[in-house]
Amino acid sequence: RDDLTDYFLLLEKNARKNNGSNGSGMKSQQKTLLNKLFKIAESDFVGHSFPNFPPIQKQKKQVRHLLREEWDTLLRGVFELGEGKESVCFTPKDYSSLPFTNRSKENVRNWVDLWDALNLEWFFFLRSEDMYRLKSEWFSETKDGWFCDLETTKRDRPRHRTTHYRKDANKFMKRLSQRKPKGYLIFPHLNRPENNPSESNVLENLNYLLKVVMGKYLPDFPRSECKWTMIRHTAFRLTLEDDPSLGVQPKINSFAENGRTSVNMLRDTYLKFIELERTAIDSREKIEPQRQIRWGGKYKSRKDVEKISD
């Protein structure tokens, strides 16, 4: 076991030198490989007790998300690229008449679709796999707001009902249901292969357009982080910032269930880092700045420094 401990320490040392991580990913990969080798070796060493592995501490990193001003900039950029047509698109005829071409993904109708996808993600905390399956018929309006009955890919599982936490979802959903009253909601022109809707290129289009608009309006945002999962992270993170009560019992249980995630995921991925940032902000407001003590010894003023330099 000492050999395994030394080996894991070496992996961690190399990882910290190369990328600043604790090497937990590489340790897990090597543990899997070594366990397979140990299993092969069992027949040659009957009765031998192979050593157990040192514990692997998972390193939690803050996921990349958009700040509020970045989110606003993203929506404004998509609206502008769509020439503002989303604001005057109220019927299926209006939608089908939007400028469109198969020769380029960057056309007005696709930008309106991206607008719809971003807002659906924002209000309903959807997973990437939901985007190519969403249908207008899954949504219904009640006196308490809009609900989405997400159909699952496995028949033995019940539908999952999710709802929004923001009032402005009502205005968006009414407009969306007017222009797309039935059928698929995101890039409805794309063919969904039977029993395999993931091959419809919906996510491919979303990720492509997201990278384009981020590159134009948020050029400093890392391009490698411009993925659709980042929008889901943004929806969770900013909602928890806007309503901190959703991060404590008993509301956190309902919030996690509504977003098809776990309480632990919310705590480890968002709440932990929100609390760290809030603590630092509160401390900066309370701790008064100290009087600088640089001057008064050998150097009583800047003139003394300049005199010695001369």
Side-chain angles (χ1 to χ4, degrees):
R1 191 179 188 281
D2 288 342
D3 292 331
L4 292 177
T5 299
D6 291 342
Y7 181 48
F8 272 26
L9 287 174
L10 176 63
L11 292 177
E12 182 167 341
K13 179 181 178 181
N14 291 339
R16 292 194 182 281
K17 179 180 178 181
N18 295 330
N19 54 40
S21 73
N22 69 348
S24 60
M26 179 59 71
K27 290 176 187 177
S28 296
Q29 293 177 16
Q30 296 304 88
K31 178 180 177 181
T32 300
L33 173 61
L34 289 171
N35 272 328
K36 290 180 179 179
L37 294 175
F38 286 162
K39 189 171 183 179
I40 294 173
E42 283 179 353
S43 58
D44 294 328
F45 298 91
V46 178
H48 178 70
S49 179
F50 290 96
N52 61 340
F53 288 82
I56 300 175
Q57 300 295 331
K58 296 290 185 181
Q59 183 169 334
K60 298 291 184 181
K61 291 184 178 181
Q62 183 169 190
V63 296
R64 197 62 188 255
H65 67 281
L66 294 172
L67 304 178
R68 167 65 67 170
E69 55 270 23
E70 292 174 328
W71 171 252
D72 292 341
T73 298
L74 172 62
L75 288 182
R76 190 177 302 114
V78 174
F79 186 77
E80 290 180 355
L81 291 171
E83 300 177 1
K85 297 298 185 182
E86 185 278 333
S87 63
V88 294
C89 188
F90 296 102
T91 67
K93 184 178 179 180
D94 291 339
Y95 173 74
S96 62
S97 299
L98 292 173
F100 174 81
T101 174
N102 283 318
R103 294 190 296 273
S104 173
K105 293 184 177 70
E106 299 176 46
N107 57 73
V108 170
R109 198 169 81 186
N110 276 0
W111 289 120
V112 171
D113 274 315
L114 180 62
W115 172 274
D116 291 343
L118 287 169
N119 281 278
L120 283 169
E121 187 72 66
W122 173 250
F123 291 122
F124 293 95
F125 314 101
L126 302 166
R127 303 163 302 171
S128 294
E129 66 187 77
D130 295 324
M131 303 312 294
Y132 48 76
R133 300 187 299 116
L134 283 175
K135 292 183 178 180
S136 180
E137 291 83 356
W138 295 5
F139 289 84
S140 58
E141 184 182 14
T142 72
K143 62 181 179 64
D144 296 319
W146 285 80
F147 292 86
C148 176
D149 291 314
L150 285 167
E151 293 185 3
T152 59
T153 55
K154 295 184 179 180
R155 295 179 181 177
D156 58 336
R157 293 181 182 177
R159 293 183 179 184
H160 178 88
R161 169 160 283 205
T162 184
T163 188
H164 57 89
Y165 285 69
R166 298 179 183 275
K167 295 178 181 178
D168 44 337
N170 292 313
K171 183 178 180 180
F172 164 73
M173 286 304 303
K174 285 181 179 179
R175 177 167 291 176
L176 178 65
S177 62
Q178 285 176 335
R179 61 171 164 259
K180 298 175 182 176
K182 60 181 179 180
Y184 290 111
L185 288 174
I186 310 301
F187 303 124
H189 66 281
L190 291 178
N191 179 49
R192 269 69 167 176
E194 188 175 358
N195 300 321
N196 193 17
S198 62
E199 296 297 322
S200 61
N201 293 326
V202 168
L203 281 178
E204 178 184 326
N205 281 14
L206 288 175
N207 282 308
Y208 173 83
L209 294 173
L210 181 63
K211 282 183 169 61
V212 171
V213 66
M214 292 286 289
K216 290 183 178 180
Y217 292 87
L218 292 166
D220 294 332
F221 197 89
R223 189 171 179 82
S224 61
E225 300 290 345
C226 297
K227 304 174 183 177
W228 196 254
T229 51
M230 180 267 293
I231 303 300
R232 176 173 162 88
H233 288 316
T234 297
F236 274 125
R237 172 67 186 246
L238 296 187
T239 301
L240 287 167
E241 288 182 6
D242 290 342
D243 185 1
S245 69
L246 292 174
V248 296
Q249 296 289 356
K251 288 186 177 180
I252 190 172
N253 294 325
S254 298
F255 185 52
E257 174 66 19
N258 185 71
R260 303 198 76 175
T261 188
S262 68
V263 170
N264 287 337
M265 197 285 289
L266 292 177
R267 286 175 175 153
D268 292 342
T269 309
Y270 312 110
L271 293 171
K272 170 184 174 182
F273 298 100
I274 291 174
E275 185 60 31
L276 287 172
E277 293 172 10
R278 282 178 179 162
T279 300
I281 292 173
D282 290 344
S283 294
R284 285 194 288 269
E285 292 178 351
K286 294 177 181 177
I287 300 176
E288 295 296 328
Q290 302 257 334
R291 177 178 175 273
Q292 290 190 353
I293 58 173
R294 296 180 300 171
W295 309 107
K298 181 178 179 180
Y299 301 99
K300 295 180 175 57
S301 68
R302 188 172 286 106
K303 290 182 179 180
D304 293 336
V305 177
E306 294 171 347
K307 186 185 299 183
I308 293 177
S309 298
D310 293 340

